[in-house]
Amino acid sequence: MSFPSTRLRRLRRTESLRGLVRENSLSPADLVQPMFVVAGSGVRQPIDSMPGIDRLSIAELVEEAGEVAGAGVPAILLFGSSSEKDEAGSGAFDDEGVVQMALRALKEALPDLVVITDVCLCAYTDHGHCGFVRDGEIDNDVTVELLSKVAISHAEAGADVVAPSDMMDGRVGSIRYQLDEEGHPGVAILSYAAKYRSAFYGPFRDAADSAPASGDRAGHQLDPANADEAVREVMLDVEEGADAVMVKPAGYYLDVVRRAKDEAGVPVAAYQVSGEYSAIKAAADNGWLDERAAALESLLSIRRSGADFIVTYFARQAAQWLGRDS
Ligand code: PBG
């Protein structure tokens, strides 16, 4: 039947009707707040290219994480960085490193908050690359060993979930094996399985002080032109033992999120990255977009594409907006 007997507008006439037939939802329980921890005390350092996001020292981090949890957000994704950098990024697996100390403080103060840690070397290497560089190229297998050490040090300090974001081959299998060997069978792996070489990470690299000193990340991150290859990455990480997989960025890769959801058989996360956040923020600050409406629409679209949960810098704010509405 078609018009005039079929009129799709009938079910759009009131908010109650629209609510009855609404297919997807967004709730604070679906969100993860990324946070940046730095050494020192009393530090609350705004990141110019990410309005509303600060780099925090440990006490400030714990306080703010408490507010995030209080808004109904169940998890944070923790990033650290260090001014003491070397060629192996060894600050990343230092038991007294800032992430490890922050983990202990978070777990003591907020035992119910899920803490996910980013596992990478780029904020700790003197060249800013995500791995150990030999003859101008990242040595995959040496890097995988270093990343496994990072994951274990995070697990030992109390991480609930480790999230390798480096895109080396074979790192999920190695991390799973070594976590189990070292007595951490309960620590989950959220793999950044389909991470693209994206221009939208720019603001993050200011925040984490992790921009490569030369070259780019095209030798390991996915080519934005490819989607079949992303599915292969996802399936390999699942075979290697990933408990959940992530697609990153989110908004420009919704097709990849959908394919991952259809094929992976494990929970799928999507990461709305720094550039996606800052673009909405900048437009809103100019009065060109309604921040709340644009942010919530972007997040709902990511859910509609199949993401079970979303890592987003809007998490805390969105939880407050959503809480006020419901
Ligand atoms: C580390 C890492 C990056 C991001 C998350 N983990 C940067 C990169 O790959 O250069 C980006 C996050 C964002 O832009 O919000 N490898």
Side-chain angles (χ1 to χ4, degrees), residues 118 120 122 165 195 201 204-205 217 221 248 274 313:
D118 187 83
C120 196
C122 59
S165 68
K195 177 173 176 181
Y201 305 150
F204 172 93
R205 292 179 187 169
R217 307 216 202 282
Q221 296 180 347
K248 174 183 173 188
S274 56
Y313 300 94

Side-chain angles (χ1 to χ4, degrees), residues 34 36 50 77 79 118-123 130 165-166 192 195-196 200-205 210-212 217 220-221 248 271-275 313:
F36 298 98
M50 300 180 73
L77 172 58
F79 292 96
D118 187 83
V119 172
C120 196
L121 300 177
C122 59
C130 301
S165 68
D166 50 282
Y192 287 74
K195 177 173 176 181
Y196 284 86
F200 287 86
Y201 305 150
F204 172 93
R205 292 179 187 169
S210 66
R217 307 216 202 282
H220 51 104
Q221 296 180 347
K248 174 183 173 188
Y271 194 148
Q272 182 180 55
V273 300
S274 56
Y313 300 94

Side-chain angles (χ1 to χ4, degrees), residues 126-179:
D126 48 19
H127 40 66
H129 284 292
C130 301
F132 187 82
V133 177
R134 199 194 297 269
D135 301 330
E137 246 192 86
I138 297 179
D139 184 317
N140 189 89
D141 300 7
V142 171
T143 302
V144 166
E145 287 306 313
L146 295 171
L147 291 165
S148 303
K149 287 171 90 155
V150 178
I152 286 163
S153 81
H154 290 178
E156 255 149 35
D160 299 292
V161 182
V162 292
S165 68
D166 50 282
M167 289 298 281
M168 296 300 118
D169 289 322
R171 90 279 207 217
V172 172
S174 168
I175 290 173
R176 181 71 274 154
Y177 177 80
Q178 299 199 37
L179 282 174

Side-chain angles (χ1 to χ4, degrees), residues 173-193:
S174 168
I175 290 173
R176 181 71 274 154
Y177 177 80
Q178 299 199 37
L179 282 174
D180 291 351
E181 284 284 290
E182 297 293 324
H184 302 291
V187 172
I189 300 176
L190 166 62
S191 160
Y192 287 74

Side-chain angles (χ1 to χ4, degrees), residues 20 24 31 94 128 140 167 184 193 204 219 226 238:
L20 275 179
N24 291 283
L31 305 176
D94 178 353
N140 189 89
M167 289 298 281
H184 302 291
F204 172 93
N226 293 356
V238 172

Side-chain angles (χ1 to χ4, degrees), residues 26-39:
L26 178 68
S27 132
D30 308 321
L31 305 176
V32 178
Q33 176 76 50
M35 301 187 78
F36 298 98
V37 64
V38 291

Side-chain angles (χ1 to χ4, degrees), residues 43 60 86 123 156 166 171 178 285 290 296 298 304 317:
V43 183
E60 287 68 26
D86 61 23
E156 255 149 35
D166 50 282
R171 90 279 207 217
Q178 299 199 37
D285 287 347
D290 175 336
L296 291 177
S298 71
R304 195 191 60 241
Q317 175 77 78

